[in-house]
Amino acid sequence: MTESKQERLMQLNSAFEAIVNHSLSKSFNDLIEKNIDIFKGLKIIYSTENMESQLLDHPLKTIEKQFPYLKKFFYGQGLLFYTDEIYQQTKEGQAEIKLDYSISFDSNIAEKFRIWENGGSLDKDSLRFGELIQFVKNKGGMNFDYSFFVIENYFDSLDEKNDRPFNSIRALKRFESLIYNQNSFDIYHPIFTENRESAGKRAFEVFSTYYDNRETVLELHTNRKLLYSVLLKSILLKKNENIDIKDKLRLLIEFSLKKLGRFAKTEIYFGWKFLKYNANLNFFDPIRTLGKNSLKKIRGMSWDLFSVRYLEKLIGMNTGADFYIPFFVSFDNRFINLLKVCPIRAVIIDEKTQRGSTVYLDESEFMEDINNSITEELNLELNDPSKKIKRMFKKIDCEVLEIEISKLEEELNIIISKALEK
């Protein structure tokens, strides 16, 4: 009997709750054994500080130690994996698992590659950029993932006067042909076996893929704007000193449901972190004091947060491996602080519905705060199964979203103007 979309989504939700309610002190094996029917047909990546041999562990800390600017998305020292096949193979003896590692990067790193490949000077960044090159070449099996960079710079790449996105990808493509010897490599005099014309053709193919899939890219940009709107609303609520944290969280949830037409849980999670813990989180420093450049900074922060949101899509990619494990490289401490803002405990993937769910380390606290802040009426709205399904499959109304963003930006600009007048 074929499962309905509602049944699959309810299973994904049950798996999410099982992980949230599972004590960190208990083993992953215990989690699986107690919930084997719930996890059937799903894929799970589970981060832990308690390394164990069952269900295949893989150390993260070792990789991160080799290059300090490479950052894992998961909180713990290692990863544990579950699929039906892995579970069965483990019970019968020893299972094997194929992992596909990737390195994503911010525009700053891409720019470094562009300058370096073009023979320019990296000044103070030369040493650590050289360490990045050596790490990637010495490690082996670590692939660059261009997707987040291309998506972030998609509209810039359409501007004929702006050739930086193209040149950055061309440099990364040409880097693949770098002649590298661990003992004699000179960061200042790289030698490539591929010429720029050939690398340029391959870079054009990268962008062509995204131009041919414009709708998918625009959908991702819309999701980023959704996050931006929730962040804006959170900042405005933070500025309201007449209501407490519970009311602010409730109003944020109501905004998401009534104005955006969905319960944007992950986006609300980021907003909750800002409302409750912003004083202790360096990531939010740029917007602690509002000024004339605040909107630009908030947009940039929304892209930083979206890089974590994008993780679900990356991990759900079918690359031929059992699991796709992304890392992020940045010379900016902002991203390090970002990982402190939202440490990931687990990612659940349902390949049938092509949906994923991220479980953050403090998810239990977040859910408890939600339950304590919402009204009974709002609770019924959130937990009505048919309404849940409808919200999940309803497309974001881009026109409505743009209108809401304009309203929020205008409201914030008024606050900024008043602050600057003082």
Side-chain angles (χ1 to χ4, degrees), residues 229-377:
S229 71
V230 173
L231 186 57
L232 283 171
K233 184 65 177 179
S234 303
I235 293 167
L236 288 167
L237 287 169
K238 184 68 178 176
K239 289 294 177 182
N240 189 341
E241 297 177 354
N242 297 320
I243 53 177
D244 62 17
I245 181 68
K246 287 173 62 175
D247 285 334
K248 289 175 182 177
L249 182 55
R250 174 181 56 80
L251 289 169
L252 186 61
I253 294 168
E254 288 179 353
F255 167 78
S256 178
L257 285 172
K258 295 175 181 179
K259 300 295 185 180
L260 307 179
R262 63 191 55 237
F263 176 57
K265 187 186 77 69
T266 299
E267 289 76 10
I268 292 169
Y269 170 82
F270 295 142
W272 168 75
K273 293 291 272 192
F274 172 71
L275 290 170
K276 189 172 183 178
Y277 292 113
N278 84 93
N280 301 317
L281 297 170
N282 294 334
F283 175 73
F284 295 117
D285 282 349
I287 56 171
R288 218 175 298 286
T289 301
L290 297 178
K292 61 181 181 179
N293 293 321
S294 289
L295 282 177
K296 182 180 179 180
K297 291 176 181 178
I298 296 166
R299 289 190 197 101
M301 292 173 72
S302 72
W303 274 109
D304 291 333
L305 291 167
F306 187 66
S307 69
V308 181
R309 190 76 172 95
Y310 186 65
L311 169 70
E312 290 176 9
K313 183 174 179 63
L314 286 179
I315 288 181
M317 287 175 60
N318 185 1
T319 63
D322 294 308
F323 289 95
Y324 186 82
I325 311 298
F327 287 82
F328 201 98
V329 63
S330 177
F331 295 157
D332 191 342
N333 284 333
R334 182 175 60 183
F335 190 76
I336 298 171
N337 293 327
L338 170 58
L339 295 179
K340 292 178 181 178
V341 171
C342 43
I344 293 173
R345 181 181 180 185
V347 175
I348 311 164
I349 306 147
D350 182 4
E351 292 183 323
K352 283 190 177 180
T353 61
Q354 294 186 316
R355 286 185 175 271
S357 188
T358 301
V359 182
Y360 293 93
L361 185 61
D362 50 2
E363 195 82 44
S364 181
E365 179 191 353
F366 172 51
M367 298 307 294
E368 184 179 351
D369 280 2
I370 286 179
N371 291 332
N372 290 334
S373 68
I374 58 177
T375 61
E376 185 176 344
E377 181 183 0

Side-chain angles (χ1 to χ4, degrees), residues 78-262:
L79 294 178
L80 300 165
F81 305 95
Y82 171 86
T83 65
D84 295 341
E85 293 76 14
I86 289 173
Y87 178 71
Q88 191 58 40
Q89 289 170 12
T90 304
K91 289 182 76 69
E92 294 172 359
Q94 184 64 42
E96 293 185 6
I97 186 169
K98 295 178 182 177
L99 299 179
D100 187 358
Y101 294 100
S102 77
I103 298 176
S104 296
F105 42 82
D106 57 16
S107 295
N108 181 265
I109 292 293
E111 177 71 359
K112 295 287 188 292
F113 270 97
R114 185 191 69 79
I115 294 170
W116 174 66
E117 183 268 341
N118 196 39
S121 172
L122 296 177
D123 299 323
K124 62 180 181 180
D125 288 323
S126 294
L127 180 60
R128 54 185 180 179
F129 184 79
E131 291 173 354
L132 169 61
I133 298 296
Q134 292 177 66
F135 171 79
V136 172
K137 290 299 182 181
N138 291 336
K139 182 68 180 173
M142 297 285 268
N143 304 308
F144 279 122
D145 184 278
Y146 313 133
S147 61
F148 186 77
F149 171 79
V150 175
I151 290 163
E152 184 178 4
N153 292 272
Y154 179 79
F155 290 106
D156 286 341
S157 73
L158 295 172
D159 182 356
E160 293 181 358
K161 296 180 181 179
N162 188 349
D163 57 6
R164 289 196 174 203
F166 174 81
N167 289 340
S168 295
I169 295 298
R170 181 181 63 187
L172 285 156
K173 282 295 182 184
R174 199 173 180 215
F175 166 71
E176 295 171 6
S177 71
L178 176 71
I179 296 176
Y180 177 78
N181 183 294
Q182 184 175 356
N183 298 318
S184 60
F185 174 66
D186 182 358
I187 185 67
Y188 300 103
H189 300 94
I191 301 173
F192 306 95
T193 59
E194 183 178 31
N195 61 39
R196 302 185 87 190
E197 182 181 359
S198 173
K201 288 178 181 178
R202 295 201 297 135
F204 178 77
E205 289 172 1
V206 171
F207 282 102
S208 293
T209 301
Y210 289 89
Y211 297 152
D212 291 342
N213 292 278
R214 180 179 173 83
E215 285 190 15
T216 300
V217 176
L218 292 181
E219 184 179 343
L220 289 166
H221 274 263
T222 299
N223 289 335
R224 198 280 309 172
K225 287 180 181 178
L226 178 79
L227 195 158
Y228 175 57
S229 71
V230 173
L231 186 57
L232 283 171
K233 184 65 177 179
S234 303
I235 293 167
L236 288 167
L237 287 169
K238 184 68 178 176
K239 289 294 177 182
N240 189 341
E241 297 177 354
N242 297 320
I243 53 177
D244 62 17
I245 181 68
K246 287 173 62 175
D247 285 334
K248 289 175 182 177
L249 182 55
R250 174 181 56 80
L251 289 169
L252 186 61
I253 294 168
E254 288 179 353
F255 167 78
S256 178
L257 285 172
K258 295 175 181 179
K259 300 295 185 180
L260 307 179
R262 63 191 55 237

